[in-house]
Amino acid sequence: LSDVTILLTAILSLIGSCEAIVTHLETVTADFIDRLITQVQALVDGQLLVGIESLLSSINKEAASRKSSSASTRSHGDPQLQYLLRINTRYTNKGEPLGALMIQRLLLKLLEHTCYISCQTTKHEQLGFLPLKGFKDRFSILSPTVLFGISELAESQIGSIEASADFLKFKTSPHQDLSLSLKATSLRLACITFICGYEVNINLPSVIKSILVDPTQMAHDDLGPACLDSLAAISMNCHEHASDLNRSLRNYIIHAHDPHSTNLSARVCIAAKRLAWCLSTISNDKIVSTLYSLVNVLTSAPSSTNERGATSLQPRTALSLINFDHRTVASSISLSLKTEDQRQQVFSNVVEAIAEIVYELKDEKIAELMISLLGQKFGRVNDGVDKSLVWGLAKISTIVKEKDYKRILKLHAKVRLDPATANTALTETVLSLFRSMLTIDHGCSSVHG
Amino acid sequence: LLYEQYAPILQEILIAGDIDMEDTPSRQLGYSLAKTALQIGSLSPKLKVQSQALLIDYLEKVRRAFMDAIAYEGLRS
């Protein structure tokens, strides 16, 4: 067997076996994770990975020279090698080139899965990074040696990806998806050890904040949620980082934009849900002040361009209901937006996030307050906001009592009939909303009737 | 040769729908061997220890295969 045949066969075999272990491993013996860490450390050794990449690049160069000349190559006359090289090309075209990054990702995923299995308290519980409730206690079961080993591994992986960050900004790179996926796994592992008290040499909150402001990384299906989950986990478990990280999360929700992304709305909802978890570990006042500052973003449009004249809200009655001191309300967030599209994206994010937070908290008084605040925004900002408000209130309506549900319906009716807000597009939105509401098992049959 | 040798095992796995039929024999073999080891390990605590030790040994073999490939390339050049 030639060198490349040995290498590619071993990588393919590793892919298959790691997939099987992740799918079928249900319990682990006491020393399995210990020995696994030692093996993983040996397999992701820098020199070994450089050797693998250099061998693969030499064969790629040969393949390129074969195209340009009739020079003989290693694969000439070796059907097995030719077959493996074709497979290698197929994997590369799929965005999963067989090589160092693939090996790193496989092994770190395997380690992550083993970690979750080791810390599983009941057999039927969901297996993964979430839930964040009881997070520290759950992962503190791991031995100090294991936690130290994981922290070293995660740190080295994040460090190596950060070192090639410029190169990975290009979406055309076949390595981009692999490396961002590896970064997601490493981030979750680093977060586990960080919360369990094993400080890594990298500044994890800073790494998380740098991902948060990079739309390319946040748009990644694995890294985006991993970043939001890690942020929430640290905020909820390490109180010294809570206010800084919560502020970053709130800013992400407001400013999240990516014209090329199709999953931005889903990402904002994930972020809002995590913000709700983080705030609920602090206090009700904090929840309300954050929601209030988000609502006030909707009035941030310059009055010169806003014929409807946005006004600042003072919902004293509602605030007094939950014993909230309105003097502590956060100041409105300054927006420096360039285009109308960006402004509209901010408004859409904010309404979506408020609805998600209220839905997640399921607190009647907070829901009542937000219905009052959002209701006052109808017809005050622009048509786009009115449409977002309809959908936002619809989401909130699924958790409120009949009395508040009727209030929302009245608001919707007012929007449709009031000359200041009524327009065809909004009426269509409300009608489609009512149609979708009829499918919700709300338990308010008299209202539906 | 590998494919023919392990055809009966692979056929069983393919029927179960666990893996992609277009995948390489090496990947299919890696999957089936690891899955079989874990299934055997679920029979008793003693077998569990042995099967999980087998998986660790397997990772060591993969590492040696990588080292051999690199060493071979070094000698060749």
Side-chain angles (χ1 to χ4, degrees):
Chain A
L1 289 176
S2 77
D3 45 1
V4 182
T5 308
I6 295 170
L7 178 65
L8 292 176
T9 307
I11 295 175
L12 288 163
S13 168
L14 185 67
I15 294 173
S17 52
C18 284
E19 276 174 351
I21 299 172
V22 168
T23 313
H24 299 287
L25 185 70
E26 287 176 353
T27 54
V28 285
T29 56
D31 74 334
F32 179 74
I33 192 162
D34 249 335
R35 293 185 63 197
L36 180 65
I37 287 174
T38 313
Q39 272 310 324
V40 172
Q41 277 170 335
L43 276 159
V44 299
D45 171 71
Q47 272 190 317
L48 182 68
L49 296 178
V50 167
I52 289 169
E53 279 301 307
S54 129
L55 179 53
L56 288 169
S57 83
S58 72
I59 201 81
N60 288 339
K61 273 182 201 161
E62 279 188 25
S65 69
R66 187 176 51 174
K67 279 181 188 169
S68 59
S69 72
S70 57
S72 66
T73 65
R74 265 189 275 204
S75 64
H76 183 72
D78 183 345
Q80 195 178 1
L81 181 55
Q82 282 174 358
Y83 166 74
L84 285 170
L85 292 176
R86 275 203 307 277
I87 292 290
N88 187 27
T89 310
R90 203 183 82 186
Y91 272 85
T92 306
N93 292 340
K94 268 191 348 185
E96 295 181 336
L98 301 173
L101 266 173
M102 171 69 100
I103 295 166
Q104 287 165 279
R105 187 183 67 164
L106 282 171
L107 294 167
L108 267 285
K109 283 246 179 230
L110 177 60
L111 183 60
E112 184 188 18
H113 180 74
T114 312
C115 244
Y116 297 147
I117 286 181
S118 307
C119 301
Q120 196 179 14
T121 46
T122 60
K123 197 164 185 183
H124 301 292
E125 77 183 16
Q126 186 193 0
L127 199 65
F129 191 78
L130 301 178
L132 298 182
K133 199 175 176 187
F135 187 92
K136 191 173 180 179
D137 291 340
R138 184 157 57 111
F139 289 104
S140 295
I141 295 170
L142 296 169
S143 73
T145 331
V146 168
L147 284 168
F148 182 69
I150 294 173
S151 77
E152 274 194 333
L153 268 169
E155 182 190 331
S156 67
Q157 297 308 305
I158 292 173
S160 73
I161 297 166
E162 291 288 295
S164 53
D166 288 343
F167 166 65
L168 294 169
K169 283 199 168 139
F170 301 106
K171 275 197 171 170
T172 47
S173 163
H175 296 98
Q176 192 199 42
D177 180 55
L178 267 182
S179 61
L180 295 187
S181 177
L182 171 64
K183 191 171 182 178
T185 306
S186 307
L187 194 65
R188 284 189 291 261
L189 287 172
C191 180
I192 290 170
T193 59
F194 183 81
I195 289 171
C196 291
Y198 287 77
E199 294 242 3
V200 284
N201 288 329
I202 51 169
N203 185 339
L204 199 58
S206 294
V207 170
I208 288 171
K209 285 195 281 182
S210 71
I211 298 170
L212 216 52
V213 295
D214 182 351
T216 308
Q217 295 190 62
M218 285 306 291
H220 190 264
D221 287 338
D222 198 4
L223 184 55
C227 175
L228 296 170
D229 286 347
S230 304
L231 184 150
I234 296 175
S235 166
M236 289 167 72
N237 290 282
C238 309
H239 300 303
E240 65 275 25
H241 297 288
S243 65
D244 183 32
L245 290 176
N246 292 353
R247 200 177 312 115
S248 300
L249 189 53
R250 189 191 62 177
N251 288 341
Y252 166 74
I253 288 169
I254 294 169
H255 296 287
H257 72 281
D258 185 0
H260 307 295
S261 173
T262 53
N263 59 6
L264 185 63
S265 168
R267 198 70 84 241
V268 168
C269 284
I270 293 175
K273 200 180 259 193
R274 271 98 191 121
L275 185 59
W277 298 343
C278 296
L279 296 173
S280 57
T281 59
I282 304 174
S283 68
N284 256 11
D285 276 7
K286 194 70 192 165
I287 294 170
V288 175
S289 69
T290 305
L291 284 169
Y292 199 78
S293 70
L294 285 172
V295 173
N296 271 344
V297 171
L298 299 174
T299 65
S300 298
S303 57
S304 59
T305 60
N306 181 15
E307 290 171 5
R308 294 165 174 215
T311 55
S312 187
L313 294 165
Q314 294 295 328
R316 287 167 197 273
T317 319
L319 290 173
S320 65
L321 279 173
I322 53 171
N323 198 23
F324 174 72
D325 181 0
H326 70 271
R327 286 166 302 185
T328 62
V329 164
S331 60
S332 54
I333 297 154
S334 67
L335 297 173
S336 53
L337 303 172
K338 287 170 190 162
T339 67
E340 193 53 39
D341 280 352
Q342 280 179 324
R343 192 186 302 281
Q344 205 53 52
Q345 183 64 61
V346 167
F347 294 154
S348 166
N349 290 352
V350 164
V351 177
E352 207 154 6
I354 291 170
E356 188 67 36
I357 292 171
V358 174
Y359 182 81
E360 186 62 24
L361 294 169
K362 293 187 172 54
D363 181 305
E364 283 170 31
K365 285 180 178 172
I366 290 174
E368 197 180 328
L369 169 64
M370 294 324 289
I371 292 166
S372 164
L373 292 178
L374 291 178
Q376 292 175 53
K377 293 290 174 184
F378 269 121
R380 299 282 175 88
V381 188
N382 63 37
D383 293 344
V385 169
D386 289 347
K387 281 168 98 174
S388 297
L389 286 171
V390 169
W391 286 105
L393 285 169
K395 182 149 200 169
I396 295 174
S397 74
T398 59
I399 58 151
V400 294
K401 281 183 178 169
E402 190 171 325
K403 183 185 66 162
D404 288 318
Y405 188 70
K406 279 181 179 169
R407 218 162 112 209
I408 292 173
L409 290 178
K410 277 181 190 165
L411 273 171
H412 290 159
K414 183 177 176 287
V415 168
R416 287 168 61 207
L417 299 172
D418 189 337
T421 53
N423 65 49
T424 316
L426 190 62
T427 305
E428 276 172 16
T429 309
V430 174
L431 287 174
S432 77
L433 168 74
F434 284 157
R435 276 193 288 272
S436 66
M437 274 177 152
L438 289 173
T439 64
I440 300 170
D441 181 18
H442 186 259
C444 294
S445 54
S446 61
V447 177
H448 282 303
Chain B
L1 269 174
L2 272 174
Y3 199 89
E4 280 172 18
Q5 196 177 343
Y6 291 96
I9 303 171
L10 294 173
Q11 216 167 16
E12 196 184 308
I13 290 167
L14 290 174
I15 290 165
D18 276 357
I19 43 179
D20 178 4
M21 285 182 71
E22 287 184 7
D23 234 320
T24 61
S26 326
R27 184 169 172 172
Q28 293 178 11
L29 196 56
Y31 186 95
S32 62
L33 289 175
K35 183 184 171 183
T36 309
L38 289 170
Q39 281 175 335
I40 292 170
S42 67
L43 297 175
S44 78
K46 192 182 166 191
L47 287 172
K48 186 164 118 181
V49 174
Q50 285 179 344
S51 72
Q52 292 189 0
L54 203 69
L55 293 176
I56 299 290
D57 292 345
Y58 162 78
L59 289 178
E60 174 57 21
K61 284 197 173 70
V62 169
R63 191 183 73 86
R64 280 198 204 139
F66 289 160
M67 303 274 280
D68 289 347
I70 297 167
Y72 192 102
E73 164 70 7
L75 287 174
R76 211 181 64 86
S77 58

